Amino acid sequence: MTLLVQITDTHVVERGTLLYGMADTARHLAETVSEINAMRPQPDMVLITGDLVEHPGPTTYSHFRDLIAPLEMPVYLMPGNHDDPEIMWTYFKDTPMFPAKPPHFQYVIEHNPFRILMLNSHFDNSELPFFGPRRLQWLDEALAASSQPTLIAIHHPPFRTGIGFIDMVGAHWYKALGEVIKRHPHVLKIICGHGHIDLHGRLGAVPVQMVGSIAHQLIACRGEDIAPSFDNLRVPPMLHSWLGGDLVSGYYPWPDGVDAERIDKSSNMNWEDLKDRMRGAMKPVQ
Ligand SMILES: [Fe+2]
């Protein structure tokens, strides 16, 4: 089984400060890192799908790097709208975490039995996404290079979310992306971040999953365009499990002390006997 963890929108700020004076993003990320290290079974890798820091620069990337250093499995990064791909490339060049190349800053993770394409939707000096001809051509060629099942990761959601300020860019930026993906039916799924909210959509026939943020969640009205509010909570890590040729996804918290709550312990019964009871093969416990 292949287990892939995704976390997103960590928005790390300068040491000793809070995001918007409210969210302790360093604490949220440190808690997430220990939760991932404690997971059973241990994941094969961690993807962090953009907005690694709030303001890109050596100080914030150094803080981010220190916070993720304890992760015990390979980690892969991509830029979000708050990042700067060039600074990331310079800063993480001596690590295996961001093997992207300029000018597109995209890369492939070869990981049997499926491949992962890490895309770049960053647009300089804007919150909005961009996916121009050069990035599209790279994607088309990367998808043509192998017929292995493929997971695509990108920061911005390539579907209509119903959230006014996310949708204000329009559908044109992902129209060509959808056309390229349609030509390559081995694309299994697209995962993204950006919205700080859980939402599932579709690009053509391909499911798209937007994952909540480690920094804070957004309370965003859908259908009516009013300004969003914040909820100072992190989500648990998202686990994408490779099961019989498909990816099955869900949050997978593994908090400290979880063993104390195990039902075999609280019911004082052997786990194999409990499963027999679930199957109906055992007499009811007296
Ligand atoms: Fe974000």
Side-chain angles (χ1 to χ4, degrees):
M1 183 158 64
T2 296
L3 301 170
L4 184 70
V5 163
Q6 180 194 1
I7 60 172
T8 195
D9 295 84
T10 48
H11 287 267
V12 169
V13 288
E14 284 73 15
R15 290 172 211 266
T17 63
L18 301 176
L19 179 67
Y20 312 140
M22 166 200 83
D24 191 346
T25 56
R27 180 173 57 81
H28 286 186
L29 181 52
E31 286 169 359
T32 303
V33 164
S34 31
E35 218 170 46
I36 294 170
N37 281 342
M39 273 183 184
R40 271 177 273 164
Q42 193 171 60
D44 296 271
M45 69 175 88
V46 178
L47 307 183
I48 311 184
T49 49
D51 282 0
L52 314 179
V53 297
E54 177 70 5
H55 303 294
T59 345
T60 47
Y61 283 127
S62 144
H63 191 196
F64 170 83
R65 195 166 156 171
D66 288 349
L67 288 162
I68 61 165
L71 281 169
E72 291 164 6
M73 58 293 293
V75 179
Y76 294 98
L77 310 175
M78 72 164 52
N81 47 292
H82 280 266
D83 296 297
D84 182 314
E86 298 249 4
I87 299 177
M88 274 177 68
W89 185 66
T90 311
Y91 199 78
F92 295 100
K93 219 169 17 180
D94 63 328
T95 78
M97 290 191 276
F98 189 52
K101 296 267 182 315
H104 47 70
F105 297 104
Q106 306 187 120
Y107 60 98
V108 183
I109 305 169
E110 301 286 358
H111 182 75
N112 265 330
F114 64 97
R115 305 167 93 212
I116 302 155
L117 303 190
M118 300 287 275
L119 304 187
N120 171 22
S121 56
H122 174 86
F123 186 20
D124 282 344
N125 304 315
S126 175
E127 295 259 320
L128 302 182
F130 173 77
F131 207 76
R134 206 157 48 187
R135 298 181 198 181
L136 274 169
Q137 191 189 342
W138 180 93
L139 174 64
D140 203 13
E141 288 170 6
L143 286 170
S146 165
S147 56
Q148 260 197 320
T150 301
L151 172 70
I152 289 181
I154 186 165
H155 180 68
H156 290 83
F159 65 98
R160 193 170 169 206
T161 64
I163 300 167
F165 73 97
I166 294 179
D167 292 343
M168 69 185 176
V169 63
H172 63 275
W173 81 269
Y174 56 78
K175 191 168 172 281
L177 180 67
E179 282 159 10
V180 166
I181 287 171
K182 202 172 159 187
R183 290 203 293 276
H184 300 281
H186 53 291
V187 176
L188 272 183
K189 182 171 187 164
I190 301 169
I191 56 173
C192 61
H194 184 62
H196 294 224
I197 197 167
D198 297 312
L199 215 54
H200 295 253
R202 196 169 278 283
L203 179 60
V206 180
V208 186
Q209 181 178 8
M210 182 162 86
V211 168
S213 157
I214 295 303
H216 62 80
Q217 309 318 299
L218 212 60
I219 313 296
C221 188
R222 292 180 216 168
E224 244 187 280
D225 189 18
I226 59 173
S229 308
F230 298 105
D231 202 354
N232 187 9
L233 293 172
R234 70 174 177 94
V235 291
M238 174 62 62
L239 189 71
H240 303 288
S241 317
W242 175 263
L243 293 175
D246 208 349
L247 283 167
V248 177
S249 307
Y251 283 121
Y252 197 63
W254 204 273
D256 279 348
V258 69
D259 278 349
E261 303 300 327
R262 269 171 39 178
I263 61 168
D264 57 342
K265 294 190 175 174
S266 56
S267 65
N268 210 19
M269 267 187 84
N270 178 286
W271 178 223
E272 292 306 316
D273 293 344
L274 272 165
K275 283 193 291 184
D276 277 341
R277 193 164 75 171
M278 289 172 192
R279 290 185 197 104
M282 268 183 78
K283 288 179 187 166
V285 180
Q286 299 301 313

